[in-house]
Amino acid sequence: DSVTIHVGCDESVYIEVADHGCGMSEEFIRNRLFQPFQTTKKKGLGIGLYQCRQIVESHGGKIEVSSRTGEGSTFRVNLPILVNI
């Protein structure tokens, strides 16, 4: 499996990570992905993405997810551009 990473700046600074794995259903993304203590891993705690979203949002950003079952997923972390004046 390969992972692609893009970084850039448009309306915000962003980091985008994409894979070509098994993907996720819209229902899973909507109802479980960012919920604490929800995991699909045998030894997972289910807090990683929940904590990531909390940290990103506390800095005024957001995490966007697009995924198709059987095709892979893309996560995009957007953070506001801060300008010191």
Side-chain angles (χ1 to χ4, degrees), residues 34-46:
F34 291 105
Q35 297 301 311
F37 308 111
Q38 297 285 319
T39 185
T40 58
K41 298 177 182 163
K42 289 182 181 181
K43 294 187 177 185
L45 296 176

Side-chain angles (χ1 to χ4, degrees), residues 8-77:
C9 180
D10 46 29
E11 296 87 34
S12 62
V13 175
Y14 67 86
I15 302 166
E16 194 172 86
V17 179
D19 68 33
H20 300 286
C22 61
M24 299 172 282
S25 69
E26 288 183 31
E27 185 273 331
F28 180 84
I29 293 169
R30 185 176 48 253
N31 296 319
R32 294 189 57 203
L33 183 62
F34 291 105
Q35 297 301 311
F37 308 111
Q38 297 285 319
T39 185
T40 58
K41 298 177 182 163
K42 289 182 181 181
K43 294 187 177 185
L45 296 176
I47 57 173
L49 280 175
Y50 171 78
Q51 287 180 323
C52 287
R53 186 173 70 172
Q54 296 295 104
I55 292 167
V56 168
E57 288 180 351
S58 73
H59 290 282
K62 64 181 178 176
I63 299 179
E64 299 171 344
V65 181
S66 61
S67 186
R68 294 181 70 111
T69 304
E71 295 182 20
S73 303
T74 300
F75 286 79
R76 182 173 169 139
V77 176

